[in-house]
Amino acid sequence: MPTERSEIAERNLRVLEALLFASSEPLSASQMATYLGEGANVTALLMTLQQRYAPRGVNLVRRADKWAFRTAEDLGFLLRREEQETRPLSRAALETLSIIAYHQPATRAEIEEVRGVATGKGTIDLLMEAGWVRMRGRRRTPGRPVTYGTTDGFLDHFGLESLGDLPGLDELKGSGLLSNRLPPSMQIPLPFEGALRDDEDPLDPDDLDGADEPEEEHE
């Protein structure tokens, strides 16, 4: 017969399952813990739920420090039609997104150094509107330029658990998204996905205006 402990664990698993299915965004363990009994090991419960869903049509996946149900990779072809209807990113946006992902925290000047062409406000705004890029802070250098980094939404959209799952730079260069002439500071993965680095200051209240950005380049 099931013990009281196993019954509580099963109830907690059902609660986690319900929360994850009902949420439109990935949830962190701390967000879900408030709905469980005192002393519940949320991480262990999520791992158990992940194992249970591993052979099913939807899988429980981790995105940074958050969790979500997503279509199993081998059934991704079922969503191909929906993906084809989505407007593809321009080459400028793809290059900019790639550089930010591998070089974050990156300033616009650093992005331009890698691309070899001016990167205007429109390209970065597009990536921010998609929820893949965010302003992180301001670099402690003359002019205090804004630094950019990727979001949890970026990881979720591209099926990555962390930045460590990004393809290697050689593979990225082979795809034609980046020039073979890369600065030596390019590295992967970088550990600054959330907190500010020592050379970054918090954003100013008026940073969302983006008034100091140049006009978009034409490509």
Side-chain angles (χ1 to χ4, degrees):
M1 296 182 62
T3 64
E4 181 179 358
R5 178 177 296 181
S6 65
E7 289 178 351
I8 293 175
E10 285 300 320
R11 178 187 178 279
N12 285 337
L13 286 170
R14 294 183 66 225
V15 171
L16 291 177
E17 189 176 27
L19 290 170
L20 289 162
F21 267 115
S23 177
S24 60
E25 302 290 339
L27 299 173
S28 66
S30 60
Q31 288 176 301
M32 293 180 278
T34 58
Y35 296 90
L36 305 180
E38 184 177 355
N41 188 332
V42 185
T43 301
L45 289 167
L46 287 167
M47 296 296 290
T48 297
L49 199 61
Q50 186 179 51
Q51 292 175 357
R52 290 188 180 182
Y53 273 86
R56 301 185 182 179
V58 292
N59 298 154
L60 180 59
V61 298
R62 189 169 185 171
R63 299 291 182 254
D65 63 343
K66 297 182 179 181
W67 298 78
F69 280 117
R70 292 293 180 261
T71 303
E73 288 188 7
D74 62 320
L75 298 178
F77 68 92
L78 295 174
L79 304 180
R80 190 170 301 163
R81 178 178 301 176
E82 178 180 344
E83 292 175 353
Q84 289 176 346
E85 293 175 354
T86 302
R87 182 180 178 182
L89 291 177
S90 67
R91 183 179 183 84
L94 283 173
E95 289 180 352
T96 300
L97 179 61
S98 299
I99 293 166
I100 291 174
Y102 283 89
H103 196 42
Q104 59 188 298
T107 65
R108 186 168 54 82
E110 291 166 344
I111 296 169
E112 292 173 349
E113 179 184 356
V114 177
R115 293 191 61 219
V117 66
T119 299
K121 180 177 180 292
T123 295
I124 296 178
D125 280 351
L126 177 65
L127 297 174
M128 293 178 66
E129 289 170 5
W132 299 339
V133 167
R134 65 185 177 90
M135 292 189 294
R136 291 170 43 94
R138 283 190 176 273
R139 184 68 50 77
R140 292 178 184 172
T141 55
R144 300 184 67 244
V146 171
T147 57
Y148 297 93
T150 53
T151 65
D152 290 345
F154 165 80
L155 297 176
D156 190 30
H157 181 84
F158 291 97
L160 305 172
E161 183 173 322
S162 69
L163 291 181
D165 296 325
L166 285 167
L169 285 177
D170 289 339
E171 181 178 346
L172 197 64
K173 287 188 291 185
S175 70
L177 289 181
L178 288 180
S179 167
N180 288 325
R181 299 180 60 185
L182 295 173
S185 58
M186 287 286 279
Q187 53 185 307
I188 56 170
L190 291 175
F192 304 106
E193 298 182 58
L196 294 175
R197 288 198 326 191
D198 291 340
D199 62 350
E200 291 179 282
D201 287 323
L203 291 168
D204 299 327
D206 58 349
D207 279 328
L208 293 179
D209 294 337
D212 59 343
E213 297 283 2
E215 293 299 322
E216 169 69 329
E217 79 275 17
H218 299 285
E219 296 192 14

